[in-house]
């Protein structure tokens, strides 16, 4: 919301909720106010919910992420405008973008999966890259984006944390359905999954099991 | 399960929904470790060299951590860690370094180096009698990780005085007389569930601290498989303190208690920890709910 959008006189219900977030003077008050604002589903809440991501209040940030995901596309611009220096806020933003699945978040998700220091952020980014919404794009554009997602996920199959590799297996399974329905070869994707099914040092049974399940589902006629 | 290592670098996945910067240890009572700069990656040879020198303890500390973290199978690793286990050094409050930091980290690393580290079980048993309770704690965890059956008797001896003795508050500190949590968990990991062992552990399910109750229930569940201990852990998932819910999550995962799936899904805690717990249910548990359901729940939490 830009200042010029503001109505002159009375506050709308959303503005009252925004004000409650801004005036919150304890972490509990912030949490409650954020939850209410998040539940409003009003696009006018996006900017303030994004600000909450930087307040170093995990409970409120979880509520804000939920609210931003509910706003879907209407939250994306505010999320992408976020200050790159505020690492904590950016990590939460990655989760929100992964949950929203908007292609405008592609670059940030790729970057997060490839280089974020927190496994929980890389995990969310991987999942998001498997489920971007593409139906509104041209066929050529869909192709281009699917290939980028595939490359990013394949590159992350060697991630040091099991939970990220687990998320990669899940995302590759989702991606396979979409590639398959467009008549693409799945060889590179299956080769990538195959590595995750191996009982190598540091690759725990749960990841192997999930990757095998993905392979089975993809190959099921 | 590797989820409760006390080394700060090995717990970043615990940050979870608390935000990536919250590298807080899952449990209180975890020793405060020396600050470590991850810096540039080092080689195995470099880690061995850092541990072998004696000029700079912080380099030794890092070298010991590296060897454990990377599961080094180099023939020099265990001998060097065994001699590091003998180092004693007072706490340096200015540098934020814990007492006997190098020895503690050497014990932790040895716990990760089975089977080669089985050669160090006698050294760890000796350390289990050290006056430094932080060092005893690290040794107990390592002995549990190594499934060292020789440790069952000595650990039971240290716990035998029960919640009022071993579990009493050490005057003037927030610590207990013995590192009960680590000792109880080690018994569960080693898995020797003879009657006298169960009799030592059971009184601790009435300890005033919920984290001790959780550790005791975990050990009893691992040793006996009795449902009542799983039920006790599931109740702790509803505890008002996040720290207790986190511990119960880790304990259910360690015991692989599959009936806890739904309560784990519902409890208020970070998804990262729920995922670790569910991994334990998949890998360590049996029976219902079966794997497809467990994996579907994990998929949702990503």
């Amino acid at each position: 919301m830009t200042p010029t959008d503001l109505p002159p006189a009375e506050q709308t219900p959303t503005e009252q909720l925004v004000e409650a977030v801004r005036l919150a003077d304890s972490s509990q008050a912030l949490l409650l106010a954020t939850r209410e604002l998040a539940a409003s589903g009003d696009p006018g809440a996006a900017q303030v919910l994004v600000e909450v991501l930087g307040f170093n209040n995990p409970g409120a940030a979880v509520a804000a992420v939920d609210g931003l995901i509910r706003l879907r596309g209407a939250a994306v611009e505010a999320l992408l405008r976020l200050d790159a220096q505020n690492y904590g806020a950016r990590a939460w933003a990655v989760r929100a973008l992964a949950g929203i699945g908007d292609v405008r978040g592609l670059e940030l998700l790729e970057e997060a999966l490839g280089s974020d220091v927190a496994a929980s952020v890389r995990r969310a980014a991987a999942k998001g890259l498997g489920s971007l919404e593409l139906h509104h794009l041209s066929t050529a554009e869909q192709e281009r984006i699917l290939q980028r997602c595939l490359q990013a996920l394949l590159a992350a199959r060697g991630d040091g944390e099991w939970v990220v590799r687990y998320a990669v297996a899940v995302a590759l399974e989702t991606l396979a359905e979409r590639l398959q329905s467009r008549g693409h070869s799945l060889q590179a994707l299956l080769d990538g999954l195959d590595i995750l099914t191996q009982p190598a040092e540091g690759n725990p049974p749960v990841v192997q099991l999930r990757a095998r399940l993905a392979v089975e589902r993809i190959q099921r006629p | 399960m590797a989820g409760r290592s006390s080394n700060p670098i090995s717990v970043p996945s615990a940050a979870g929904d608390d935000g990536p910067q919250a590298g807080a240890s899952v449990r209180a009572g975890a020793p405060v470790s020396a600050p470590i700069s991850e810096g540039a990656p080092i080689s195995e040879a470099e880690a061995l060299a850092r541990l072998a020198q004696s000029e700079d303890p912080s380099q030794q500390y890092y070298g010991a951590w590296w060897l454990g973290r990377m599961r080094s199978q180099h023939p020099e690793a265990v001998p060097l860690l065994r001699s590091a286990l003998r180092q004693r050094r007072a706490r340096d409050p200015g540098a934020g370094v814990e007492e006997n930091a190098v020895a503690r980290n050497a014990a932790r690393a040895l716990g990760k180096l089975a089977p080669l580290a089985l050669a160090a079980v006698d050294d760890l048993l000796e350390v289990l009698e050290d006056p430094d309770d932080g060092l005893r704690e690290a040794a107990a965890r390592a002995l549990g990780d190594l499934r060292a059956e020789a440790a069952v008797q000595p650990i039971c001896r240290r716990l035998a005085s029960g919640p009022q003795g071993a579990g009493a508050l050490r005057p003037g500190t927030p610590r207990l007389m013995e590192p009960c949590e680590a000792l109880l968990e080690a018994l569960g990991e080693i898995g020797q569930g003879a009657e006298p062992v169960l009799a030592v552990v059971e009184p601790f399910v009435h300890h005033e601290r919920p984290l001790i109750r959780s550790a005791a229930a975990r050990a009893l569940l691992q040793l006996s498989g009795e449902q009542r201990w799983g039920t006790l852990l599931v109740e702790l998932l509803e505890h008002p303190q996040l720290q207790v819910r986190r511990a119960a999550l880790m304990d259910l995962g360690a015991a692989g208690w599959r009936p806890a799936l739904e309560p784990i899904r519902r409890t208020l805690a970070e998804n990262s920890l729920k995922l670790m717990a569910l991994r334990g249910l998949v890998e360590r548990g049996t029976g219902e709910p079966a794997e497809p359901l467990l994996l579907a729940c994990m998929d949702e939490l990503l």
Side-chain angles (χ1 to χ4, degrees), chain A residues 58 62 87-88 91-92 95 118-121 123-124 127 161-163 166-167 170 201 204-206 209-210 213 217, chain B residues 12-13 15-21 69 71 271-272 275-276 278-279 282-283 291 294-296 298-302:
Chain A
V62 167
Y87 172 71
W92 289 111
R95 290 180 196 205
S120 56
V121 175
R123 174 190 95 206
K127 192 183 186 191
E161 289 288 337
W162 71 271
V163 77
Y166 184 102
V170 171
E201 171 74 22
V206 72
L209 204 61
R210 187 62 186 84
L213 181 65
R217 287 180 179 161
Chain B
S13 46
D17 297 348
D18 266 351
Q21 288 165 316
R69 166 80 185 189
R71 306 257 190 280
N271 286 4
S272 303
L275 285 162
M276 283 163 68
L278 291 177
R279 173 187 166 188
V282 170
E283 295 185 354
E291 282 155 7
L294 298 172
L295 295 176
M298 289 181 71
D299 291 3
E300 270 179 37
L301 291 168
L302 290 174

Side-chain angles (χ1 to χ4, degrees), chain A residues 43-58:
Chain A
Q47 185 54 44
V48 178
L49 289 174
V50 168
E51 284 171 30
V52 170
L53 303 181
F55 288 173
N56 198 20
N57 178 323

Side-chain angles (χ1 to χ4, degrees), chain A residues 8-213:
Chain A
E10 279 180 41
Q11 283 190 323
T12 65
T14 301
E15 284 164 357
Q16 290 170 14
L17 294 171
V18 164
E19 183 141 312
V21 170
R22 293 204 192 281
L23 295 176
D25 55 2
S26 70
S27 71
Q28 187 61 18
L30 178 64
L31 172 62
L32 294 176
T34 305
R35 273 190 190 149
E36 282 202 48
L37 181 61
S40 73
D42 183 333
Q47 185 54 44
V48 178
L49 289 174
V50 168
E51 284 171 30
V52 170
L53 303 181
F55 288 173
N56 198 20
N57 178 323
V62 167
V65 167
D66 287 346
L68 288 161
I69 292 176
R70 190 169 297 136
L71 294 177
R72 319 243 28 119
V76 173
E77 280 194 21
L79 282 164
L80 293 176
R81 271 201 310 270
L82 197 68
D83 176 11
Q85 300 304 310
N86 189 336
Y87 172 71
R90 251 173 78 90
W92 289 111
V94 168
R95 290 180 196 205
L97 286 167
I100 292 170
D102 191 293
V103 286
R104 286 171 288 172
L106 173 62
E107 208 167 313
L108 196 61
L109 293 179
E110 285 173 327
E111 195 187 306
L113 176 59
S115 60
D116 200 282
V117 293
S120 56
V121 175
R122 301 200 300 280
R123 174 190 95 206
K127 192 183 186 191
L129 285 168
S131 48
L132 292 179
E133 278 178 25
L134 305 173
H135 58 268
H136 60 292
L137 300 172
S138 70
T139 314
E141 189 69 355
Q142 293 188 12
E143 296 294 315
R144 197 181 62 80
I145 288 169
L146 284 174
Q147 289 305 325
R148 273 177 68 175
C149 293
L150 177 61
Q151 293 316 317
L153 289 167
L154 289 176
R157 73 194 166 196
D159 194 284
E161 289 288 337
W162 71 271
V163 77
V164 179
R165 298 197 302 279
Y166 184 102
V168 166
V170 171
L172 285 173
E173 182 187 321
T174 324
L175 208 59
E177 292 162 19
R178 315 170 107 195
L179 288 166
Q180 215 158 19
S181 67
R182 291 170 174 80
H184 280 277
S185 157
L186 293 179
Q187 203 49 52
L189 187 148
L190 285 168
D191 288 347
L193 271 176
D194 187 56
I195 290 177
L196 296 174
T197 66
Q198 304 298 319
E201 171 74 22
N203 194 36
V206 72
V207 175
Q208 300 167 33
L209 204 61
R210 187 62 186 84
R212 277 202 298 274
L213 181 65

